[in-house]
């Protein structure tokens, strides 16, 4: 387990990706993010068996500051990532119009719960996705909310069980 806090007190990480990389070096585990507004200037990359857990989805804010950076979990054909979880965070201000605030590709076992999405769109084109899922299996999305986004969830070529339990969203599918 690794803890992330803005002040870094008590051995906590200040950088979310550094905490993820540490937990990944152990084979996976929990990255607990304390309340605060985390301004992100680069992508967050997830690996096998990573559980990104915020303190709550009101005060644990991952703010992409209107850049095209995003949360990425990407395997490859034949070698999929497994067991990716994100819960209890707010993800906002991602301007990526291609792959969304959360992009998942070639993964088996995705669990997204209690995520509050806000303003994940390009402010000029008004296009954007909260979640873009491509060629994934065994996905559950539960108790998420979406505000000010063109599309909550885009599903492309997913090949196994896909469960969505959310509200206030628009879903698009392809493939």
């Amino acid at each position: 387990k690794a803890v992330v806090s803005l002040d870094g007190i008590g051995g906590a990480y200040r950088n979310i990706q550094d905490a993820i990389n540490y937990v990944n070096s152990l084979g996976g585990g929990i990255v607990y993010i304390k309340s605060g507004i985390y301004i992100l200037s680069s992508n967050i990359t997830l690996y096998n068996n990573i559980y990104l857990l915020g303190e709550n989805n009101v005060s644990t804010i991952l703010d992409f500051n209107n850049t095209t950076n995003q949360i990425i979990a990407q395997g490859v054909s034949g070698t999929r990532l497994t067991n990716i979880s994100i819960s209890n965070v707010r993800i906002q201000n991602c301007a990526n119009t291609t792959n969304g605030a959360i992009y998942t590709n070639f993964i088996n076992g995705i669990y997204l719960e209690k995520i509050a999405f806000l303003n994940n769109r390009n402010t000029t084109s008004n296009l954007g996705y909260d979640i873009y899922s491509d060629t994934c299996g065994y996905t559950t999305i539960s108790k998420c909310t979406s505000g000010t986004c063109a599309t909550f969830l885009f599903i492309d070529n997913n090949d196994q069980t896909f469960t969505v339990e959310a509200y206030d969203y628009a879903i698009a599918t392809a493939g």
Side-chain angles (χ1 to χ4, degrees):
K1 178 179 180 178
V3 176
V4 180
S5 70
L6 290 173
D7 59 17
I9 293 175
Y13 288 87
R14 288 185 179 186
N15 181 287
I16 295 169
Q17 189 64 55
D18 288 346
I20 291 168
N21 293 345
Y22 168 73
V23 169
N24 183 52
S25 74
L26 301 175
I30 297 170
V31 175
Y32 181 75
I33 306 170
K34 291 187 175 187
S35 291
I37 300 173
Y38 296 84
I39 305 296
L40 304 170
S41 59
S42 60
N43 290 327
I44 293 177
T45 302
L46 301 178
Y47 308 99
N48 287 319
N49 306 310
I50 298 294
Y51 181 18
L52 206 58
L53 174 63
E55 196 164 333
N56 66 65
N57 69 3
V58 174
S59 63
T60 305
I61 301 167
L62 309 182
D63 189 328
F64 284 102
N65 202 26
N66 294 310
T67 66
T68 58
N69 296 314
Q70 63 193 150
I71 297 173
I72 297 173
Q74 185 168 9
V76 294
S77 180
T79 310
R80 293 183 179 212
L81 294 182
T82 57
N83 303 321
I84 305 292
S85 294
I86 305 171
S87 64
N88 289 337
V89 294
R90 181 167 77 189
I91 300 171
Q92 64 185 31
N93 299 323
C94 172
N96 190 313
T97 58
T98 306
N99 295 325
I102 297 176
Y103 175 64
T104 60
N105 182 242
F106 290 111
I107 301 172
N108 281 338
I110 304 166
Y111 189 70
L112 306 174
E113 179 188 41
K114 296 180 184 174
I115 301 171
F117 293 96
L118 182 64
N119 199 32
N120 293 309
R121 62 184 168 77
N122 180 292
T123 54
T124 304
S125 68
N126 206 35
L127 298 174
Y129 307 103
D130 289 327
I131 303 166
Y132 189 111
S133 180
D134 184 8
T135 317
C136 295
Y138 308 106
T139 300
T140 299
I141 299 170
S142 177
K143 301 174 186 170
C144 295
T145 61
S146 177
T148 323
C149 183
T151 304
F152 168 67
L153 171 62
F154 187 87
I155 305 167
D156 193 7
N157 298 313
N158 288 285
D159 56 5
Q160 301 290 335
T161 305
F162 205 102
T163 305
V164 178
E165 303 166 354
Y167 57 90
D168 189 26
Y169 60 86
I171 296 177
T173 60

